[in-house]
Amino acid sequence: MSGNQLTRRTFIKTAGATGVSVYVLWSGPGTGSWFGPRMVLAANLGVLNATEGKETLAMARQLFPHDKLGDEFYWVVVESIDRDMAGSPELASRLRDGLAQLNKAAGGDFTAVTAEVQLEAMKKLEGTPFFSDMLNKTQFYFYNNKAVWSKFGYEGSSWEKGGYINRGFNDVEWTQG
Amino acid sequence: MAAKYELNDESVIVVVGSGAGGGTLANELCQKGHKVVCLEAGNHLTWQDIVNDEFEMYGKLTWQDPRTGQPIWIVKAVGGSTLHWAGLSIRFKEYELKTRTTYGSVAGANLLDWPISLKELEPYYDKAETKMGVTGTQGFPRQPETNAFKVVQYCARKAGYSFEMGPSAINSVARDGRPACQMIGFCTSGCKSGAKWSTLYTEIPKADATGKFELRPNSMALQIQHDRQGKVTGVLYVDKSGTQQVQKARIVCVAGNSIESPRLLLNSASSLFKDGMANSSGQVGRNYMRHATQHVYATFEQPVNAHRGIHAPGIMRSEARHDPSRGFGGGYHLEIFDVGLPFTALSVVPGAWGRKVSSLIEQYDHMVAVWTCGEDLPQAEARVTLDNSIKDQYGLPVPNIAPVTDHPNDVELLKHARKTLETIYRAGKAKDIVWRAPFPNSHNMGTLRMSARPGDGVCNAWGQTHDIKNLFISDGSQFTSSGACNPTLTIVALAIRQADYVHEQMGAGAI
């Protein structure tokens, strides 16, 4: 039964993107399926209105602030959350209600107040299901974005480039002495 | 050359699980000419399924069936946790096999000596290291030093400590039909080159090649069946099409990891075995151990790029000793362990937000992490039971892992390890030093432990259950203590040893 799924072959040589080769041992037909989130920048939101979208963006920025990164990186989060909301009316209503609470806690308009007031407002909602959802989803969607990785020096998939055996796995030199 | 056995073939050995224990045992038995059917609950992943993406692989590898209690992480796939493990392969020390004798009576701990000595285990450790190509042993060269290693070793040296590269079951030279490591990273998301030992592409295809082996993936064992005399006769399982089947068996070997193995025995309760199978001692599910663990991160002025290369390149051994003057029994290894940015971002300060978190993540490429692998003392109430309030997709009660608190010995050990690491990092002029609580446990041990006396545990020194001669425990569930050692090497050594014993007992007509 296993034979047709995973044939043991000797060193199948797969050409990498950079012309470097990686030796791999095993191969098979496979049907690689995609479990992770897809990061497609969409122009429109399905559930959140434009104001709510901006509020979500502002909150995402305060949850994980990276001053050197533009709003486009945080829009990915907003769009992903919007997509999750489209798939769950329960989530949609919880998050919309939460955003309303957030505005209230900020004195009316979360996007119009200073960062200090925003933080105070967020602290008031910490621990609520709305806040936990926003925290977890922002963390996941923001840091699981390949465009963000390179900003922090993470190089992502490496096997197709032959790993790091010839690309700096041991290039630290300041540890001498 | 896969075999195909009839469901009513009573001469086969059924192995439940295809990871370090089950995969190794199955191959060893096939090599000796025995007929083996391996029931594996998970998918049979192919090379194309393995990608360098942490969350995508998390989705493919994780055992996601419902369970309750404390969070743990195990793999559901052909190869089991050998797909996920980082490769570190450390032998138990003699005192770690004799904790009751060495540590004495410790309040709140259910200590017991293994019914096996290091001397008896050593030849099997040799065989396991040879099979797996463990670097720094058996003449296998060590890996070249990685960035993360160089940085940690730099700090350690300044503080008067020392790390070593490996020992890792990751090829440092091409051998056994597999290449040398390419320093891809992503070891714990499935090794794309096959340099890391995993039963998926070592033991299982080798078993296949004997023509004696039938692997049935997507086949979840539900219950072990027995006759009136109490001998096991077969395994009820759900096959890949969702149909219930019974595979008859001469012998059944259970290797479903320390959560699913006791669960299977508990779900096999019958009128003859009211408290679950092989449970006359009442120890089935008890003495669950993980390790005493924590992560300590440090950031530096200069770049590190720890993601380039092996996830767990090296260890520090000098605190892995029993020295009660430190205020606790047993010891710990410090193990360099770095993961990719997605996992680091989620785990560096769990549940926290704001600038203190984001500023750490901005230093991702200037960061290293070291993990503590400390001995976890067995507690009788740390146990796996059935949670009858929730049923899984097969209608079976799910496992509950009792949310016990750390034994005070674990707490003291972790404090000591943290202090040691902070000393090391400070000596290397680290900027920020950040402690974090453990990840969900992926080292799972105990729950069907070995014991000399049948009243103290579930199986004997060969993993054979005290109650039922033709029922074996073949995974980390057998462990009587956790040691301070990543469990896989010992699981493999025990599986090789068990295969010898089963072969000999079958030859003698005893089982």
Side-chain angles (χ1 to χ4, degrees):
Chain A
M1 187 171 284
S2 63
N4 57 7
Q5 288 213 32
L6 179 67
T7 48
R8 183 179 167 79
R9 287 205 240 150
T10 317
F11 292 25
I12 294 153
K13 214 173 176 187
T14 307
T18 59
V20 182
S21 295
V22 60
Y23 288 92
V24 298
L25 161 74
W26 41 300
S27 176
T31 50
S33 59
W34 181 265
F35 286 79
R38 300 192 76 107
M39 303 302 171
V40 183
L41 272 173
N44 298 310
L45 298 172
V47 179
L48 293 164
N49 62 38
T51 310
E52 289 167 332
K54 279 183 200 153
E55 289 157 5
T56 306
L57 180 106
M59 184 174 174
R61 275 215 94 108
Q62 289 293 4
L63 283 169
F64 299 102
H66 293 286
D67 298 340
K68 66 176 181 181
L69 297 188
D71 281 350
E72 66 272 24
F73 295 95
Y74 292 91
W75 269 118
V76 173
V77 174
V78 178
E79 283 155 0
S80 302
I81 289 175
D82 183 69
R83 218 164 18 245
D84 288 350
M85 291 167 79
S88 165
E90 191 198 341
L91 177 74
S93 97
R94 184 162 63 244
L95 297 193
R96 298 187 85 159
D97 290 352
L99 288 171
Q101 292 293 319
L102 188 66
N103 280 324
K104 217 160 136 192
D109 181 358
F110 183 76
T111 60
V113 295
T114 63
E116 286 70 27
V117 178
Q118 285 183 337
L119 284 174
E120 284 309 309
M122 285 167 68
K123 277 177 192 151
K124 284 183 200 156
L125 295 180
E126 226 181 330
T128 63
F130 157 73
F131 192 89
S132 301
D133 278 344
M134 290 291 279
L135 174 61
N136 293 334
K137 287 178 183 296
T138 302
Q139 193 168 29
F140 179 78
Y141 289 126
F142 185 81
Y143 292 114
N144 206 31
N145 177 0
K146 291 180 171 67
V148 166
W149 295 350
S150 59
K151 302 291 178 191
F152 305 132
Y154 179 55
E155 297 159 283
S157 182
S158 83
W159 74 270
E160 70 279 18
K161 298 172 187 146
Y164 292 100
I165 190 77
N166 298 312
R167 295 190 310 127
F169 82 99
N170 61 351
D171 64 357
V172 162
E173 282 173 8
W174 57 269
T175 53
Q176 287 159 8
Chain B
M1 257 220 315
K4 179 94 186 88
Y5 296 111
E6 297 296 324
L7 288 167
N8 61 7
D9 187 339
E10 295 175 339
S11 66
V12 302
I13 301 170
V14 171
V15 177
V16 178
S18 63
T24 303
L25 176 70
N27 180 32
E28 292 287 322
L29 289 170
C30 288
Q31 298 297 331
K32 295 176 196 297
H34 299 292
K35 301 190 274 187
V36 175
V37 171
C38 181
L39 302 176
E40 166 56 53
N43 292 322
H44 197 166
L45 299 181
T46 64
W47 181 78
Q48 281 89 346
D49 293 321
I50 306 294
V51 294
N52 287 174
D53 183 302
E54 289 184 327
F55 275 106
E56 188 177 346
M57 290 313 298
Y58 179 86
K60 290 182 184 180
L61 297 181
T62 304
W63 188 290
Q64 303 192 53
D65 294 6
R67 56 178 174 249
T68 57
Q70 59 170 297
I72 63 125
W73 187 23
I74 59 175
V75 171
K76 186 176 188 176
V78 173
S81 295
T82 64
L83 282 170
H84 162 71
W85 79 309
L88 288 175
S89 302
I90 308 169
R91 294 183 178 202
F92 269 62
K93 294 183 164 71
E94 178 69 20
Y95 79 84
E96 290 175 317
L97 298 170
K98 304 289 176 215
T99 52
R100 180 61 183 81
T101 301
T102 312
Y103 307 167
S105 174
V106 177
N110 197 15
L111 294 181
L112 186 70
D113 291 351
W114 291 56
I116 178 172
S117 68
L118 184 60
K119 207 172 163 52
E120 288 168 281
L121 256 185
E122 271 167 350
Y124 292 97
Y125 272 139
D126 286 342
K127 287 181 184 179
E129 287 165 350
T130 303
K131 177 193 279 293
M132 301 159 85
V134 178
T135 59
T137 76
Q138 314 297 334
F140 297 118
R142 291 182 193 269
Q143 303 283 355
E145 294 181 358
T146 65
N147 285 337
F149 179 87
K150 284 161 85 172
V151 170
V152 173
Q153 174 66 347
Y154 165 78
C155 300
R157 222 173 33 234
K158 301 253 175 204
Y161 292 96
S162 187
F163 280 67
E164 66 181 61
M165 281 297 293
S168 299
I170 300 175
N171 280 355
S172 53
V173 290
R175 56 169 288 283
D176 197 31
R178 295 180 290 122
C181 176
Q182 318 259 312
M183 297 290 169
I184 289 171
F186 296 95
C187 306
T188 52
S189 298
C191 176
K192 189 74 172 169
S193 74
K196 181 187 81 176
W197 183 85
S198 167
T199 55
L200 175 60
Y201 39 78
T202 59
E203 304 305 300
I204 286 164
K206 284 179 185 184
D208 243 7
T210 65
K212 294 281 183 182
F213 181 64
E214 183 181 348
L215 176 69
R216 296 185 194 155
N218 306 104
S219 296
M220 174 75 182
L222 305 180
Q223 185 190 54
I224 301 169
Q225 301 189 332
H226 63 82
D227 62 17
R228 252 182 274 172
Q229 285 72 45
K231 258 181 71 176
V232 301
T233 56
V235 179
L236 171 73
Y237 71 100
V238 177
D239 71 14
K240 61 181 176 186
S241 68
T243 312
Q244 289 200 1
Q245 307 283 7
V246 175
Q247 174 62 53
K248 293 287 180 193
R250 176 171 173 181
I251 296 167
V252 173
C253 303
V254 180
N257 201 307
S258 295
I259 311 304
E260 291 297 324
S261 289
R263 179 192 182 208
L264 178 58
L265 296 196
L266 292 171
N267 271 327
S268 302
S270 65
S271 54
L272 190 60
F273 301 120
K274 290 196 170 55
D275 300 323
M277 193 169 265
N279 197 18
S280 64
S281 63
Q283 296 291 314
V284 167
R286 290 189 185 272
N287 313 302
Y288 167 65
M289 298 169 287
R290 53 304 190 245
H291 272 124
T293 72
Q294 63 195 347
H295 253 103
V296 186
Y297 295 81
T299 64
F300 296 85
E301 288 293 344
Q302 306 279 341
V304 180
N305 286 315
H307 63 279
R308 296 180 185 165
I310 298 172
H311 273 180
I315 65 166
M316 188 182 99
R317 293 186 192 263
S318 52
E319 297 294 338
R321 58 198 160 87
H322 178 60
D323 173 8
S325 74
R326 293 181 299 178
F328 54 92
Y332 58 87
H333 287 98
L334 294 181
E335 305 182 344
I336 305 167
F337 186 72
D338 292 279
V339 293
L341 185 134
F343 277 8
T344 301
L346 247 72
S347 64
V348 66
V349 190
W353 57 280
R355 208 162 282 277
K356 69 177 173 186
V357 186
S358 57
S359 67
L360 269 176
I361 299 166
E362 284 182 359
Q363 300 176 72
Y364 174 77
D365 57 354
H366 287 58
M367 183 187 285
V368 289
V370 176
W371 191 69
T372 302
C373 187
E375 174 151 16
D376 176 29
L377 299 191
Q379 305 177 72
E381 294 313 313
R383 61 189 294 205
V384 175
T385 55
L386 298 179
D387 185 339
N388 284 295
S389 70
I390 302 175
K391 301 275 160 59
D392 68 6
Q393 61 269 46
Y394 312 108
L396 289 177
V398 304
N400 173 269
I401 303 141
V404 287
T405 48
D406 286 346
H407 188 276
N409 194 79
D410 293 34
V411 174
E412 288 307 309
L413 180 152
L414 286 170
K415 272 192 219 161
H416 191 276
R418 181 176 175 179
K419 237 177 89 186
T420 305
L421 264 171
E422 287 171 352
T423 304
I424 287 171
Y425 282 144
R426 269 194 223 103
K429 303 239 175 341
K431 275 167 65 188
D432 298 316
I433 300 173
V434 183
W435 174 89
R436 67 142 290 165
F439 289 124
N441 311 315
S442 54
H443 292 184
N444 301 292
M445 297 157 285
T447 70
L448 299 168
R449 73 179 181 184
M450 282 187 181
S451 64
R453 288 190 334 115
D456 292 333
V458 178
C459 59
N460 67 17
W462 292 274
Q464 183 178 32
T465 61
H466 291 302
D467 295 354
I468 304 172
K469 271 187 161 179
N470 64 338
L471 176 64
F472 285 79
I473 311 303
S474 314
D475 59 12
S477 309
Q478 301 170 83
F479 284 26
T480 313
S481 66
S482 75
C485 311
N486 307 54
T488 301
L489 177 72
T490 302
I491 293 171
V492 173
L494 291 173
I496 301 170
R497 186 167 178 271
Q498 186 176 85
D500 281 357
Y501 178 79
V502 168
H503 177 67
E504 175 200 304
Q505 293 286 302
M506 287 173 81
I511 45 176

